[in-house]
Amino acid sequence: YFLARPVHQPLAELTQVLGLGVDDTVQSTYFQIADDRLKGVLPEEVSETQLKARYGLSPAQLQAVLGRITQEGWIEKKPGYGWAFSTMLTTPDSLLQSYRLRLALEPAALLEPGYRLDPAVLQRCRAAEVHLLEGGIETDTADQMHDRGVLFHESLVAASGNAFFIDTIRRVNRVRRLLSYRSMQNRQRYTAHCHQHLELLALLEQGQHEQAANAMRSHLQATLTNLAQISDLLGRT
């Protein structure tokens, strides 16, 4: 959702006025916390009391939000009291490092001995890209957009059969979700991403793994080239 003006009402009051349920409150709070953290509004360490007061949450809603953030790996419970946000992917430098890791890992995964992408998985990935090109880029939610990208890259890496590659890319993607939502303010780049993904799938379908690895390298390198724009979205200098 894109708001035409800032909202200053407590979250609990606003959701009641709009007739939103508990799940909607949890999701909207999750996005607000992510945005506030990336802007530097929230400190690295917070208490549950602070979060409940700031976002107008019930204890159950707060635990649901913290549970989701914990599962994604960008906050953890401190010994005894309070919570600490991870410093990963909240600065341009850490973002750059994450893409360099992917640039080293993902093309190599496509060259693993015995690499095999199941035809059913390939068709599912292809259908997701076609859906976006047929209008999904404008209409899908941030969750749907992020999950589609994660599923595509994790599916291709998983086909390598290398458990170390698979575990690493999953860890990176869990934390990358935080930044991914913020970068979706500009969705124009997704059209090119979809075409690049479709090219990769075609090469793998034809068994051209060397060419697919080169295409993956170019795909990720293009994102690195545009990091300055993504860094601006973080509000960091």
Side-chain angles (χ1 to χ4, degrees):
Y1 296 92
F2 298 90
L3 301 181
R5 62 185 181 217
V7 175
H8 302 293
Q9 298 164 268
L11 185 61
E13 177 184 332
L14 180 64
T15 52
Q16 183 176 5
V17 170
L18 295 176
L20 300 177
V22 174
D23 290 342
D24 299 299
T25 301
V26 169
Q27 178 159 304
S28 60
T29 304
Y30 167 89
F31 283 116
Q32 188 61 58
I33 290 175
D35 195 54
D36 287 347
R37 178 61 190 142
L38 289 170
K39 288 178 179 176
V41 174
L42 286 176
E44 289 187 9
E45 298 184 0
V46 292
S47 69
E48 293 187 11
T49 301
Q50 289 173 317
L51 292 174
K52 280 197 295 185
R54 180 179 181 86
Y55 300 104
L57 300 173
S58 69
Q61 290 168 342
L62 177 64
Q63 291 308 312
V65 172
L66 289 174
R68 175 173 177 176
I69 299 174
T70 301
Q71 186 177 24
E72 292 175 3
W74 50 280
I75 198 172
E76 62 181 14
K77 189 79 167 65
K78 293 176 58 184
Y81 179 77
W83 294 78
F85 288 106
S86 168
T87 58
M88 292 179 67
L89 296 188
T90 57
T91 68
D93 284 345
S94 60
L95 174 61
L96 185 65
Q97 291 166 3
S98 77
Y99 275 97
R100 281 204 297 263
L101 172 63
R102 294 180 61 201
L103 188 58
L105 183 152
E106 294 191 39
L110 304 185
L111 299 176
E112 278 291 280
Y115 184 95
R116 180 181 182 276
L117 183 60
D118 186 272
V121 174
L122 189 149
Q123 291 304 323
R124 184 183 65 199
C125 290
R126 178 174 284 149
E129 302 303 321
V130 171
H131 161 74
L132 289 184
L133 290 173
E134 291 180 345
I137 292 175
E138 290 78 26
T139 61
D140 279 12
T141 66
D143 268 331
Q144 290 171 326
M145 293 286 288
H146 176 79
D147 289 343
R148 154 262 176 197
V150 165
L151 181 62
F152 178 88
H153 285 275
E154 289 187 0
S155 295
L156 266 57
V157 172
S160 71
N162 187 318
F164 294 98
F165 281 1
I166 298 167
D167 181 67
T168 300
I169 194 65
R170 285 176 178 166
R171 287 173 182 269
V172 170
N173 281 334
R174 279 200 299 271
V175 183
R176 190 170 65 89
R177 178 183 291 266
L178 177 61
L179 176 70
S180 180
Y181 291 140
R182 190 68 179 274
S183 68
M184 287 178 195
Q185 292 179 17
N186 177 10
R187 295 195 178 195
Q188 294 178 354
R189 60 195 176 93
Y190 283 98
T191 299
H193 283 192
C194 288
H195 288 297
Q196 291 163 11
H197 283 185
L198 289 171
E199 179 190 2
L200 272 164
L201 293 173
L203 290 170
L204 290 172
E205 189 174 32
Q206 297 163 15
Q208 300 182 39
H209 291 187
E210 285 281 355
Q211 293 92 327
N214 290 334
M216 177 67 81
R217 192 172 294 108
S218 297
H219 172 58
L220 294 173
Q221 187 63 57
T223 303
L224 274 170
T225 303
N226 293 324
L227 274 180
Q229 180 181 357
I230 297 176
S231 297
D232 289 343
L233 290 171
L234 282 171
R236 294 285 192 265
T237 57

